[in-house]
Amino acid sequence: NYETLDADMREQIFKEIFDDSQWLIGIVENLLSVTRIEEGSMNFNMSIQLMDEVISEALAHIRQKRNRHDIEVYCEDELLLAKMDAKLIVQVIINLVENAIKYTPYGTSIRIVARKEAKAVAVSVIDNGPGIPPEIMEQIFIPFFTTKENGSGIGLSLSRQIMKNHGGSIEAVSSPGSTVF
């Protein structure tokens, strides 16, 4: 039906196809990572990385969705370095930012803050959406738990596993109008 559609309709359909394919790619990447971690076959390629470059890489992967929100990045130090598997930490940041995008209204703000804490780097993803209801707060890191029909429920559990394998942790603090990971 290509010829029967006007240019605007074709562009809208192409964008929807692209968004859906990106969503599927994300699910497959998360499932593969979960499987590798559970099997113990995940190879961690640890190296010293600049945190702002890792965050920029993550945001580049969600460029289509990020125009729906005001995303601000703040790195406490220009040369904030951390030893990590950059590809996996990029995946964690993507998961957290995509959740913030998915669960907050269009036009709201999302902040990513990176700072030095003791001998580690802490990264927070902060949104000003409706918050996570207290009754499900304990469940959000359980594999396959989701409150949206278009979610897979593996992003947060995978992110927790990745952080655990890096010697770190991930947690959520939420109240109406704010969620911090």
Side-chain angles (χ1 to χ4, degrees), residues 126-171:
I126 306 158
D127 69 56
N128 58 0
I132 301 169
E135 62 272 11
I136 67 166
M137 186 63 96
E138 294 298 317
Q139 299 171 315
I140 62 172
F141 292 104
I142 295 173
F144 305 108
F145 175 80
T146 184
T147 60
K148 290 255 185 187
E149 61 282 347
N150 64 344
S152 64
I154 60 173
L156 289 178
S157 65
L158 170 63
S159 295
R160 181 171 264 180
Q161 279 295 102
I162 290 171
M163 293 311 302
K164 182 179 174 185
N165 282 295
H166 275 77
S169 64
I170 186 172
E171 57 188 55

Side-chain angles (χ1 to χ4, degrees), residues 49-59 71-82 84 89 93 96-97 110-126 163 180-181:
Q49 300 288 325
L50 276 169
M51 201 65 234
D52 64 339
E53 289 180 2
V54 172
I55 293 169
S56 293
E57 174 73 17
L59 292 177
I71 300 179
E72 302 170 11
V73 177
Y74 174 74
C75 284
E76 181 182 80
D77 185 351
E78 284 183 29
L79 297 174
L80 192 56
L81 299 169
M84 68 182 91
I89 298 302
I93 295 169
L96 295 177
V97 173
I110 298 169
R111 288 186 308 137
I112 303 169
V113 178
R115 65 195 174 285
K116 185 137 182 80
E117 282 189 5
K119 293 183 178 185
V121 172
V123 177
S124 301
V125 176
I126 306 158
M163 293 311 302
V180 180
F181 279 93

Side-chain angles (χ1 to χ4, degrees), residues 55-74:
I55 293 169
S56 293
E57 174 73 17
L59 292 177
H61 287 284
I62 54 175
R63 112 180 113 253
Q64 283 294 107
K65 297 176 188 171
R66 67 185 283 195
N67 62 359
R68 300 174 188 165
H69 293 77
D70 179 29
I71 300 179
E72 302 170 11
V73 177
Y74 174 74

Side-chain angles (χ1 to χ4, degrees), residues 13-30:
I13 290 171
F14 294 155
K15 283 181 180 178
E16 289 173 5
I17 291 169
F18 178 81
D19 287 347
D20 288 347
S21 66
Q22 292 299 102
W23 177 75
L24 285 172
I25 288 168
I27 287 177
V28 170
E29 287 175 348
N30 280 339

Side-chain angles (χ1 to χ4, degrees), residues 30-47:
N30 280 339
L31 283 171
L32 289 171
S33 294
V34 165
T35 302
R36 288 183 192 123
I37 288 173
E38 287 177 351
E39 291 176 346
S41 64
M42 176 70 80
N43 293 323
F44 290 86
N45 299 313
M46 304 296 273
S47 63

